[in-house]
Amino acid sequence: MIRQLGPDDMQVFRQIRLEALRNEPANFASSAADWEALPDAEWTRRLTVNAVFVDFHEGEPVAIMGLMPQTASKMAHRGTVIMVYVRKGRRGGGHAKAILDMLVAHALQAGIRQLELAVSAENPSAIRFYQREGFTQAGRIQGGTIHEGREIDEILMTRRIVGGASAQ
């Protein structure tokens, strides 16, 4: 069951977000320590300014994906896909696609026409997933993140969801 989290879901949000950061530290720009230091009010703020979707399996959160809308008036048609994670034992089960489909529906209702994201160049399965879902590479940031002293490139990807040839 997938649902958008609300302010009362802060503990669920904290659980799955920290799991993601601890289990896949090289794949995120933030670290678990960054998020562990946040006060409850900041967790709640992040949960309410972004649309956060979680997939539950047998009552447990197993996947997360967020949408961070651009706020500048000339960029309000764009949104950034953030915090993407599927628990290792649940990968390949359609969770990411199901959440992405719900995120796209939400984005369309919010007037968003284009989705954007950054993915670790060292995460080929994620890159393939995004390509299957209609994202195309828009650029590359060399050394976009540093993990354990090592620079990791980020691949920038976009997907038009309204108009244009690549809208799905």
Side-chain angles (χ1 to χ4, degrees):
M1 175 190 79
I2 301 169
R3 67 179 173 86
Q4 183 176 352
L5 299 185
D8 294 337
D9 294 311
M10 196 255 301
Q11 291 304 326
V12 171
F13 179 42
R14 184 188 317 254
Q15 177 186 342
I16 191 69
R17 181 63 175 146
L18 289 177
E19 176 184 320
L21 294 168
R22 290 174 182 145
N23 290 346
E24 304 290 342
N27 290 338
F28 295 101
S30 298
S31 70
D34 293 340
W35 283 68
E36 288 165 345
L38 297 176
D40 287 354
E42 181 58 17
W43 280 91
T44 301
R45 187 193 74 76
R46 291 180 186 201
L47 186 55
T48 55
V49 298
N50 302 307
V52 178
F53 299 90
V54 169
D55 196 354
F56 293 84
H57 178 74
E58 297 178 355
E60 279 291 307
V62 297
I64 184 172
M65 187 179 296
L67 177 66
M68 182 175 65
Q70 296 290 332
T71 56
S73 62
K74 293 181 182 180
M75 295 170 56
H77 66 287
R78 296 166 50 194
T80 304
V81 178
I82 58 172
M83 300 185 292
V84 179
Y85 170 75
V86 177
R87 184 177 287 165
K88 201 168 237 162
R90 303 299 310 170
R91 293 180 188 164
H95 297 282
K97 178 167 180 27
I99 293 179
L100 180 61
D101 289 347
M102 186 172 276
L103 183 143
V104 167
H106 175 85
L108 288 168
Q109 287 182 336
I112 292 173
R113 297 171 174 224
Q114 179 168 292
L115 297 177
E116 303 168 1
L117 59 87
V119 60
S120 169
E122 296 181 354
N123 192 344
S125 60
I127 294 167
R128 284 191 304 272
F129 166 74
Y130 294 126
Q131 289 170 334
R132 281 192 309 271
E133 293 304 314
F135 285 83
T136 57
Q137 184 170 332
R140 183 182 195 105
I141 300 174
Q142 293 183 355
T145 61
I146 297 177
H147 177 67
E148 297 179 344
R150 194 170 60 78
E151 292 185 0
I152 300 172
D153 291 0
E154 286 186 313
I155 306 296
L156 305 176
M157 303 183 87
T158 63
R159 175 181 162 190
R160 296 285 299 171
I161 57 174
V162 171
S166 63
Q168 301 215 345

Short mmCIF file of all heavy atoms in Angstrom, two decimals, residues 44-109:
data_model
loop_
_atom_site.label_atom_id
_atom_site.label_comp_id
_atom_site.label_asym_id
_atom_site.label_seq_id
_atom_site.Cartn_x
_atom_site.Cartn_y
_atom_site.Cartn_z
N THR A 44 9.34 17.30 10.53
CA THR A 44 7.95 17.59 10.16
C THR A 44 7.90 18.61 9.02
O THR A 44 7.11 18.46 8.08
CB THR A 44 7.16 18.09 11.38
OG1 THR A 44 7.20 17.08 12.39
CG2 THR A 44 5.72 18.40 11.02
N ARG A 45 8.74 19.63 9.08
CA ARG A 45 8.78 20.63 8.01
C ARG A 45 9.11 19.98 6.67
O ARG A 45 8.45 20.22 5.66
CB ARG A 45 9.79 21.73 8.34
CG ARG A 45 9.74 22.90 7.33
CD ARG A 45 10.94 23.83 7.45
NE ARG A 45 12.15 23.23 6.91
CZ ARG A 45 12.43 23.11 5.60
NH1 ARG A 45 11.57 23.52 4.69
NH2 ARG A 45 13.56 22.57 5.20
N ARG A 46 10.14 19.15 6.65
CA ARG A 46 10.55 18.49 5.40
C ARG A 46 9.46 17.57 4.87
O ARG A 46 9.33 17.39 3.66
CB ARG A 46 11.86 17.73 5.61
CG ARG A 46 13.03 18.66 5.82
CD ARG A 46 14.33 17.91 6.02
NE ARG A 46 15.39 18.85 6.36
CZ ARG A 46 16.67 18.60 6.20
NH1 ARG A 46 17.08 17.45 5.72
NH2 ARG A 46 17.57 19.51 6.53
N LEU A 47 8.71 17.02 5.76
CA LEU A 47 7.61 16.13 5.39
C LEU A 47 6.44 16.90 4.81
O LEU A 47 5.68 16.37 3.99
CB LEU A 47 7.17 15.34 6.62
CG LEU A 47 6.15 14.25 6.47
CD1 LEU A 47 6.58 13.22 5.43
CD2 LEU A 47 5.93 13.56 7.81
N THR A 48 6.29 18.15 5.19
CA THR A 48 5.13 18.92 4.73
C THR A 48 5.44 19.84 3.55
O THR A 48 4.54 20.13 2.76
CB THR A 48 4.53 19.74 5.89
OG1 THR A 48 5.54 20.56 6.47
CG2 THR A 48 3.95 18.83 6.95
N VAL A 49 6.68 20.29 3.37
CA VAL A 49 6.99 21.14 2.21
C VAL A 49 7.21 20.31 0.95
O VAL A 49 7.11 20.82 -0.15
CB VAL A 49 8.19 22.09 2.45
CG1 VAL A 49 7.92 23.05 3.58
CG2 VAL A 49 9.48 21.34 2.65
N ASN A 50 7.54 19.04 1.13
CA ASN A 50 7.71 18.12 0.01
C ASN A 50 6.60 17.07 0.09
O ASN A 50 6.09 16.78 1.16
CB ASN A 50 9.08 17.42 0.08
CG ASN A 50 10.21 18.41 0.09
OD1 ASN A 50 10.30 19.27 -0.77
ND2 ASN A 50 11.09 18.29 1.06
N ALA A 51 6.25 16.52 -1.05
CA ALA A 51 5.32 15.39 -1.06
C ALA A 51 6.16 14.13 -0.86
O ALA A 51 7.06 13.86 -1.65
CB ALA A 51 4.56 15.33 -2.37
N VAL A 52 5.89 13.39 0.21
CA VAL A 52 6.67 12.19 0.52
C VAL A 52 5.73 10.98 0.45
O VAL A 52 4.71 10.94 1.13
CB VAL A 52 7.32 12.29 1.91
CG1 VAL A 52 8.08 11.01 2.24
CG2 VAL A 52 8.25 13.51 1.98
N PHE A 53 6.11 10.02 -0.39
CA PHE A 53 5.32 8.82 -0.58
C PHE A 53 6.09 7.62 -0.03
O PHE A 53 7.29 7.50 -0.24
CB PHE A 53 5.02 8.60 -2.07
CG PHE A 53 4.25 9.72 -2.68
CD1 PHE A 53 4.90 10.81 -3.26
CD2 PHE A 53 2.86 9.72 -2.65
CE1 PHE A 53 4.19 11.86 -3.80
CE2 PHE A 53 2.14 10.77 -3.20
CZ PHE A 53 2.80 11.85 -3.77
N VAL A 54 5.38 6.75 0.67
CA VAL A 54 5.99 5.55 1.24
C VAL A 54 5.14 4.35 0.84
O VAL A 54 3.91 4.41 0.87
CB VAL A 54 6.12 5.66 2.78
CG1 VAL A 54 6.51 4.33 3.40
CG2 VAL A 54 7.16 6.72 3.14
N ASP A 55 5.84 3.29 0.47
CA ASP A 55 5.18 2.02 0.17
C ASP A 55 5.34 1.12 1.39
O ASP A 55 6.45 0.98 1.93
CB ASP A 55 5.82 1.37 -1.06
CG ASP A 55 4.96 0.27 -1.66
OD1 ASP A 55 3.93 -0.09 -1.07
OD2 ASP A 55 5.36 -0.25 -2.72
N PHE A 56 4.24 0.55 1.81
CA PHE A 56 4.23 -0.33 2.98
C PHE A 56 4.00 -1.77 2.53
O PHE A 56 3.18 -2.03 1.65
CB PHE A 56 3.10 0.08 3.94
CG PHE A 56 3.30 1.42 4.58
CD1 PHE A 56 2.91 2.58 3.91
CD2 PHE A 56 3.88 1.54 5.84
CE1 PHE A 56 3.08 3.82 4.50
CE2 PHE A 56 4.05 2.77 6.42
CZ PHE A 56 3.66 3.92 5.76
N HIS A 57 4.71 -2.69 3.16
CA HIS A 57 4.49 -4.12 2.94
C HIS A 57 4.29 -4.76 4.31
O HIS A 57 5.16 -4.66 5.17
CB HIS A 57 5.69 -4.75 2.22
CG HIS A 57 5.55 -6.22 2.01
ND1 HIS A 57 4.71 -6.75 1.07
CD2 HIS A 57 6.13 -7.27 2.63
CE1 HIS A 57 4.78 -8.07 1.12
NE2 HIS A 57 5.64 -8.41 2.07
N GLU A 58 3.13 -5.35 4.49
CA GLU A 58 2.77 -5.94 5.77
C GLU A 58 2.95 -4.94 6.92
O GLU A 58 3.46 -5.26 7.99
CB GLU A 58 3.56 -7.23 6.02
CG GLU A 58 3.25 -8.31 5.00
CD GLU A 58 4.05 -9.58 5.19
OE1 GLU A 58 4.94 -9.63 6.07
OE2 GLU A 58 3.77 -10.55 4.45
N GLY A 59 2.54 -3.69 6.66
CA GLY A 59 2.56 -2.65 7.67
C GLY A 59 3.91 -1.97 7.88
O GLY A 59 3.99 -1.00 8.63
N GLU A 60 4.95 -2.46 7.22
CA GLU A 60 6.30 -1.89 7.38
C GLU A 60 6.64 -1.02 6.18
O GLU A 60 6.41 -1.42 5.04
CB GLU A 60 7.34 -3.02 7.46
CG GLU A 60 7.47 -3.65 8.81
CD GLU A 60 8.10 -2.70 9.82
OE1 GLU A 60 9.18 -2.15 9.57
OE2 GLU A 60 7.47 -2.49 10.88
N PRO A 61 7.24 0.15 6.41
CA PRO A 61 7.69 0.96 5.28
C PRO A 61 8.88 0.29 4.60
O PRO A 61 9.85 -0.08 5.25
CB PRO A 61 8.09 2.28 5.92
CG PRO A 61 8.42 1.94 7.34
CD PRO A 61 7.57 0.77 7.70
N VAL A 62 8.77 0.09 3.28
CA VAL A 62 9.83 -0.59 2.54
C VAL A 62 10.41 0.25 1.40
O VAL A 62 11.43 -0.12 0.82
CB VAL A 62 9.37 -1.95 1.99
CG1 VAL A 62 9.01 -2.89 3.14
CG2 VAL A 62 8.22 -1.81 1.01
N ALA A 63 9.78 1.37 1.10
CA ALA A 63 10.25 2.22 0.00
C ALA A 63 9.77 3.65 0.24
O ALA A 63 8.72 3.87 0.84
CB ALA A 63 9.74 1.70 -1.34
N ILE A 64 10.57 4.58 -0.26
CA ILE A 64 10.25 6.00 -0.10
C ILE A 64 10.66 6.75 -1.36
O ILE A 64 11.61 6.37 -2.05
CB ILE A 64 10.96 6.60 1.14
CG1 ILE A 64 10.53 8.06 1.37
CG2 ILE A 64 12.47 6.48 1.03
CD1 ILE A 64 11.05 8.65 2.69
N MET A 65 9.92 7.80 -1.66
CA MET A 65 10.25 8.70 -2.76
C MET A 65 9.57 10.02 -2.47
O MET A 65 8.43 10.05 -2.01
CB MET A 65 9.75 8.12 -4.09
CG MET A 65 10.20 8.89 -5.33
SD MET A 65 9.58 8.10 -6.87
CE MET A 65 10.41 6.51 -6.87
N GLY A 66 10.29 11.12 -2.73
CA GLY A 66 9.73 12.43 -2.47
C GLY A 66 9.74 13.30 -3.71
O GLY A 66 10.46 13.04 -4.67
N LEU A 67 8.94 14.34 -3.65
CA LEU A 67 8.88 15.33 -4.72
C LEU A 67 9.07 16.70 -4.09
O LEU A 67 8.27 17.12 -3.25
CB LEU A 67 7.53 15.27 -5.44
CG LEU A 67 7.32 16.33 -6.54
CD1 LEU A 67 8.29 16.11 -7.70
CD2 LEU A 67 5.88 16.31 -7.03
N MET A 68 10.13 17.38 -4.51
CA MET A 68 10.42 18.72 -4.03
C MET A 68 10.09 19.71 -5.15
O MET A 68 10.80 19.77 -6.16
CB MET A 68 11.89 18.86 -3.64
CG MET A 68 12.25 20.22 -3.10
SD MET A 68 13.97 20.30 -2.50
CE MET A 68 14.88 20.05 -4.01
N PRO A 69 8.99 20.44 -5.01
CA PRO A 69 8.62 21.40 -6.07
C PRO A 69 9.54 22.61 -6.06
O PRO A 69 10.01 23.04 -5.01
CB PRO A 69 7.18 21.78 -5.71
CG PRO A 69 7.08 21.56 -4.24
CD PRO A 69 8.03 20.45 -3.90
N GLN A 70 9.78 23.15 -7.23
CA GLN A 70 10.51 24.41 -7.33
C GLN A 70 9.54 25.51 -6.90
O GLN A 70 8.34 25.44 -7.18
CB GLN A 70 10.99 24.65 -8.76
CG GLN A 70 12.00 23.63 -9.24
CD GLN A 70 13.34 23.78 -8.56
OE1 GLN A 70 13.73 24.87 -8.13
NE2 GLN A 70 14.04 22.67 -8.42
N THR A 71 10.05 26.53 -6.24
CA THR A 71 9.16 27.57 -5.72
C THR A 71 9.24 28.89 -6.49
O THR A 71 8.30 29.68 -6.42
CB THR A 71 9.47 27.83 -4.23
OG1 THR A 71 10.84 28.17 -4.09
CG2 THR A 71 9.15 26.60 -3.40
N ALA A 72 10.31 29.12 -7.22
CA ALA A 72 10.40 30.35 -8.01
C ALA A 72 9.31 30.34 -9.09
O ALA A 72 9.06 29.30 -9.71
CB ALA A 72 11.78 30.47 -8.66
N SER A 73 8.65 31.47 -9.31
CA SER A 73 7.49 31.50 -10.20
C SER A 73 7.80 30.99 -11.61
O SER A 73 6.97 30.32 -12.21
CB SER A 73 6.91 32.90 -10.26
OG SER A 73 7.85 33.81 -10.80
N LYS A 74 8.97 31.26 -12.12
CA LYS A 74 9.31 30.83 -13.48
C LYS A 74 9.79 29.38 -13.53
O LYS A 74 10.05 28.85 -14.61
CB LYS A 74 10.37 31.75 -14.07
CG LYS A 74 9.86 33.16 -14.32
CD LYS A 74 10.92 34.02 -14.94
CE LYS A 74 10.43 35.43 -15.15
NZ LYS A 74 11.47 36.29 -15.75
N MET A 75 9.90 28.75 -12.37
CA MET A 75 10.35 27.36 -12.31
C MET A 75 9.33 26.45 -11.64
O MET A 75 9.59 25.26 -11.40
CB MET A 75 11.68 27.27 -11.57
CG MET A 75 12.82 27.98 -12.29
SD MET A 75 14.32 28.14 -11.31
CE MET A 75 14.70 26.46 -10.89
N ALA A 76 8.16 26.97 -11.33
CA ALA A 76 7.14 26.22 -10.58
C ALA A 76 6.60 25.02 -11.36
O ALA A 76 5.92 24.18 -10.78
CB ALA A 76 6.00 27.15 -10.16
N HIS A 77 6.91 24.93 -12.63
CA HIS A 77 6.48 23.79 -13.45
C HIS A 77 7.44 22.61 -13.33
O HIS A 77 7.25 21.58 -13.96
CB HIS A 77 6.36 24.22 -14.92
CG HIS A 77 7.66 24.59 -15.54
ND1 HIS A 77 8.32 25.76 -15.22
CD2 HIS A 77 8.43 23.93 -16.44
CE1 HIS A 77 9.45 25.81 -15.91
NE2 HIS A 77 9.53 24.72 -16.64
N ARG A 78 8.48 22.77 -12.50
CA ARG A 78 9.50 21.72 -12.34
C ARG A 78 9.49 21.17 -10.92
O ARG A 78 9.25 21.90 -9.96
CB ARG A 78 10.88 22.30 -12.64
CG ARG A 78 11.03 22.76 -14.07
CD ARG A 78 12.24 23.63 -14.31
NE ARG A 78 13.47 23.07 -13.79
CZ ARG A 78 14.59 23.77 -13.65
NH1 ARG A 78 14.62 25.06 -13.98
NH2 ARG A 78 15.66 23.19 -13.17
N GLY A 79 9.79 19.89 -10.79
CA GLY A 79 9.89 19.27 -9.48
C GLY A 79 11.07 18.30 -9.47
O GLY A 79 11.38 17.69 -10.50
N THR A 80 11.69 18.17 -8.32
CA THR A 80 12.85 17.29 -8.19
C THR A 80 12.45 16.04 -7.41
O THR A 80 11.87 16.13 -6.33
CB THR A 80 14.00 18.01 -7.46
OG1 THR A 80 14.30 19.22 -8.17
CG2 THR A 80 15.24 17.14 -7.39
N VAL A 81 12.76 14.89 -7.98
CA VAL A 81 12.52 13.60 -7.33
C VAL A 81 13.66 13.40 -6.33
O VAL A 81 14.83 13.50 -6.68
CB VAL A 81 12.48 12.46 -8.35
CG1 VAL A 81 12.28 11.12 -7.66
CG2 VAL A 81 11.38 12.70 -9.39
N ILE A 82 13.30 13.15 -5.06
CA ILE A 82 14.29 13.07 -3.99
C ILE A 82 14.05 11.82 -3.13
O ILE A 82 12.99 11.23 -3.17
CB ILE A 82 14.27 14.33 -3.10
CG1 ILE A 82 12.88 14.55 -2.51
CG2 ILE A 82 14.73 15.57 -3.89
CD1 ILE A 82 12.80 15.67 -1.47
N MET A 83 15.07 11.47 -2.35
CA MET A 83 14.99 10.45 -1.30
C MET A 83 14.56 9.08 -1.80
O MET A 83 13.89 8.34 -1.09
CB MET A 83 14.05 10.89 -0.17
CG MET A 83 14.42 12.14 0.52
SD MET A 83 13.35 12.53 1.93
CE MET A 83 11.79 12.90 1.16
N VAL A 84 14.93 8.68 -3.01
CA VAL A 84 14.46 7.42 -3.57
C VAL A 84 15.21 6.25 -2.92
O VAL A 84 16.44 6.21 -2.91
CB VAL A 84 14.66 7.40 -5.09
CG1 VAL A 84 14.18 6.07 -5.67
CG2 VAL A 84 13.93 8.57 -5.73
N TYR A 85 14.43 5.32 -2.39
CA TYR A 85 15.01 4.14 -1.74
C TYR A 85 13.99 3.02 -1.70
O TYR A 85 12.81 3.25 -1.42
CB TYR A 85 15.42 4.49 -0.30
CG TYR A 85 15.82 3.30 0.54
CD1 TYR A 85 17.04 2.66 0.39
CD2 TYR A 85 14.94 2.81 1.52
CE1 TYR A 85 17.39 1.57 1.17
CE2 TYR A 85 15.29 1.72 2.31
CZ TYR A 85 16.51 1.11 2.14
OH TYR A 85 16.86 0.04 2.93
N VAL A 86 14.46 1.81 -1.98
CA VAL A 86 13.68 0.59 -1.80
C VAL A 86 14.54 -0.37 -1.00
O VAL A 86 15.70 -0.60 -1.33
CB VAL A 86 13.28 -0.06 -3.15
CG1 VAL A 86 12.52 -1.36 -2.93
CG2 VAL A 86 12.46 0.91 -4.00
N ARG A 87 13.97 -0.92 0.06
CA ARG A 87 14.69 -1.86 0.92
C ARG A 87 15.23 -3.01 0.06
O ARG A 87 14.55 -3.51 -0.83
CB ARG A 87 13.74 -2.41 1.99
CG ARG A 87 14.40 -3.32 2.99
CD ARG A 87 13.44 -3.75 4.06
NE ARG A 87 13.17 -2.63 4.97
CZ ARG A 87 12.16 -2.60 5.84
NH1 ARG A 87 11.32 -3.62 5.92
NH2 ARG A 87 12.00 -1.55 6.61
N LYS A 88 16.46 -3.41 0.34
CA LYS A 88 17.16 -4.40 -0.48
C LYS A 88 16.33 -5.65 -0.75
O LYS A 88 16.23 -6.11 -1.88
CB LYS A 88 18.49 -4.77 0.19
CG LYS A 88 19.47 -5.37 -0.77
CD LYS A 88 20.86 -5.47 -0.18
CE LYS A 88 21.80 -4.72 -1.08
NZ LYS A 88 23.04 -4.37 -0.52
N GLY A 89 15.71 -6.23 0.24
CA GLY A 89 14.92 -7.44 0.05
C GLY A 89 13.65 -7.25 -0.76
O GLY A 89 13.01 -8.23 -1.15
N ARG A 90 13.27 -6.01 -1.03
CA ARG A 90 12.03 -5.71 -1.76
C ARG A 90 12.30 -5.20 -3.17
O ARG A 90 11.36 -4.91 -3.92
CB ARG A 90 11.19 -4.68 -1.00
CG ARG A 90 10.80 -5.06 0.43
CD ARG A 90 9.96 -6.30 0.54
NE ARG A 90 8.82 -6.26 -0.36
CZ ARG A 90 8.03 -7.29 -0.60
NH1 ARG A 90 8.26 -8.45 -0.04
NH2 ARG A 90 7.02 -7.18 -1.42
N ARG A 91 13.56 -5.06 -3.55
CA ARG A 91 13.89 -4.53 -4.88
C ARG A 91 13.46 -5.49 -5.97
O ARG A 91 13.48 -6.70 -5.78
CB ARG A 91 15.39 -4.24 -4.97
CG ARG A 91 15.76 -3.11 -4.05
CD ARG A 91 17.21 -2.75 -4.07
NE ARG A 91 17.44 -1.77 -2.99
CZ ARG A 91 18.62 -1.46 -2.53
NH1 ARG A 91 19.70 -2.01 -3.03
NH2 ARG A 91 18.73 -0.58 -1.56
N GLY A 92 13.05 -4.94 -7.10
CA GLY A 92 12.59 -5.76 -8.20
C GLY A 92 11.12 -6.16 -8.06
O GLY A 92 10.59 -6.86 -8.92
N GLY A 93 10.48 -5.70 -7.02
CA GLY A 93 9.08 -6.06 -6.78
C GLY A 93 8.08 -5.02 -7.25
O GLY A 93 6.89 -5.12 -6.94
N GLY A 94 8.53 -4.01 -7.96
CA GLY A 94 7.64 -2.99 -8.50
C GLY A 94 7.36 -1.82 -7.58
O GLY A 94 6.57 -0.94 -7.91
N HIS A 95 8.02 -1.79 -6.42
CA HIS A 95 7.76 -0.69 -5.47
C HIS A 95 8.13 0.68 -6.05
O HIS A 95 7.37 1.63 -5.93
CB HIS A 95 8.53 -0.93 -4.16
CG HIS A 95 8.11 -2.15 -3.43
ND1 HIS A 95 6.96 -2.21 -2.67
CD2 HIS A 95 8.67 -3.38 -3.36
CE1 HIS A 95 6.84 -3.42 -2.15
NE2 HIS A 95 7.87 -4.15 -2.56
N ALA A 96 9.33 0.77 -6.64
CA ALA A 96 9.79 2.06 -7.17
C ALA A 96 8.86 2.56 -8.27
O ALA A 96 8.49 3.74 -8.29
CB ALA A 96 11.23 1.96 -7.66
N LYS A 97 8.49 1.68 -9.18
CA LYS A 97 7.59 2.10 -10.27
C LYS A 97 6.24 2.53 -9.72
O LYS A 97 5.69 3.55 -10.15
CB LYS A 97 7.41 0.98 -11.28
CG LYS A 97 6.43 1.39 -12.39
CD LYS A 97 6.44 0.50 -13.56
CE LYS A 97 5.47 0.89 -14.65
NZ LYS A 97 5.09 2.27 -14.79
N ALA A 98 5.71 1.78 -8.75
CA ALA A 98 4.40 2.12 -8.19
C ALA A 98 4.44 3.48 -7.49
O ALA A 98 3.53 4.30 -7.65
CB ALA A 98 3.94 1.03 -7.22
N ILE A 99 5.50 3.73 -6.74
CA ILE A 99 5.61 5.03 -6.07
C ILE A 99 5.81 6.14 -7.10
O ILE A 99 5.20 7.20 -7.00
CB ILE A 99 6.76 5.06 -5.04
CG1 ILE A 99 6.45 4.14 -3.87
CG2 ILE A 99 6.98 6.48 -4.51
CD1 ILE A 99 7.55 4.10 -2.82
N LEU A 100 6.66 5.89 -8.10
CA LEU A 100 6.88 6.91 -9.13
C LEU A 100 5.58 7.24 -9.84
O LEU A 100 5.29 8.41 -10.11
CB LEU A 100 7.96 6.46 -10.12
CG LEU A 100 8.26 7.46 -11.24
CD1 LEU A 100 8.77 8.79 -10.67
CD2 LEU A 100 9.27 6.87 -12.22
N ASP A 101 4.78 6.24 -10.15
CA ASP A 101 3.50 6.49 -10.81
C ASP A 101 2.61 7.39 -9.94
O ASP A 101 1.97 8.32 -10.44
CB ASP A 101 2.77 5.18 -11.12
CG ASP A 101 3.43 4.39 -12.25
OD1 ASP A 101 4.30 4.93 -12.95
OD2 ASP A 101 3.08 3.20 -12.40
N MET A 102 2.58 7.13 -8.64
CA MET A 102 1.78 7.96 -7.73
C MET A 102 2.37 9.38 -7.65
O MET A 102 1.63 10.36 -7.64
CB MET A 102 1.70 7.34 -6.34
CG MET A 102 0.76 8.10 -5.41
SD MET A 102 0.48 7.24 -3.86
CE MET A 102 -0.83 6.15 -4.35
N LEU A 103 3.69 9.47 -7.62
CA LEU A 103 4.35 10.77 -7.58
C LEU A 103 4.04 11.57 -8.84
O LEU A 103 3.76 12.77 -8.77
CB LEU A 103 5.86 10.56 -7.41
CG LEU A 103 6.70 11.82 -7.26
CD1 LEU A 103 7.84 11.57 -6.27
CD2 LEU A 103 7.29 12.24 -8.60
N VAL A 104 4.07 10.92 -9.99
CA VAL A 104 3.76 11.61 -11.25
C VAL A 104 2.32 12.12 -11.23
O VAL A 104 2.06 13.27 -11.62
CB VAL A 104 4.00 10.68 -12.47
CG1 VAL A 104 3.39 11.26 -13.74
CG2 VAL A 104 5.50 10.44 -12.65
N ALA A 105 1.38 11.32 -10.78
CA ALA A 105 -0.02 11.75 -10.70
C ALA A 105 -0.14 12.97 -9.79
O ALA A 105 -0.84 13.95 -10.11
CB ALA A 105 -0.91 10.62 -10.21
N HIS A 106 0.55 12.94 -8.65
CA HIS A 106 0.54 14.07 -7.72
C HIS A 106 1.15 15.30 -8.39
O HIS A 106 0.61 16.41 -8.28
CB HIS A 106 1.31 13.70 -6.45
CG HIS A 106 1.44 14.84 -5.50
ND1 HIS A 106 0.47 15.16 -4.58
CD2 HIS A 106 2.44 15.77 -5.35
CE1 HIS A 106 0.87 16.23 -3.90
NE2 HIS A 106 2.05 16.61 -4.34
N ALA A 107 2.28 15.11 -9.07
CA ALA A 107 2.95 16.23 -9.72
C ALA A 107 2.05 16.88 -10.77
O ALA A 107 1.96 18.11 -10.85
CB ALA A 107 4.26 15.74 -10.36
N LEU A 108 1.37 16.07 -11.56
CA LEU A 108 0.47 16.61 -12.58
C LEU A 108 -0.64 17.43 -11.95
O LEU A 108 -0.96 18.52 -12.43
CB LEU A 108 -0.11 15.47 -13.42
CG LEU A 108 0.86 14.81 -14.40
CD1 LEU A 108 0.28 13.51 -14.95
CD2 LEU A 108 1.23 15.77 -15.52
N GLN A 109 -1.20 16.95 -10.85
CA GLN A 109 -2.24 17.70 -10.15
C GLN A 109 -1.71 19.01 -9.60
O GLN A 109 -2.45 19.99 -9.48
CB GLN A 109 -2.83 16.87 -9.01
CG GLN A 109 -3.71 15.75 -9.49
CD GLN A 109 -4.30 14.97 -8.32
OE1 GLN A 109 -3.77 14.93 -7.22
NE2 GLN A 109 -5.44 14.34 -8.58
#
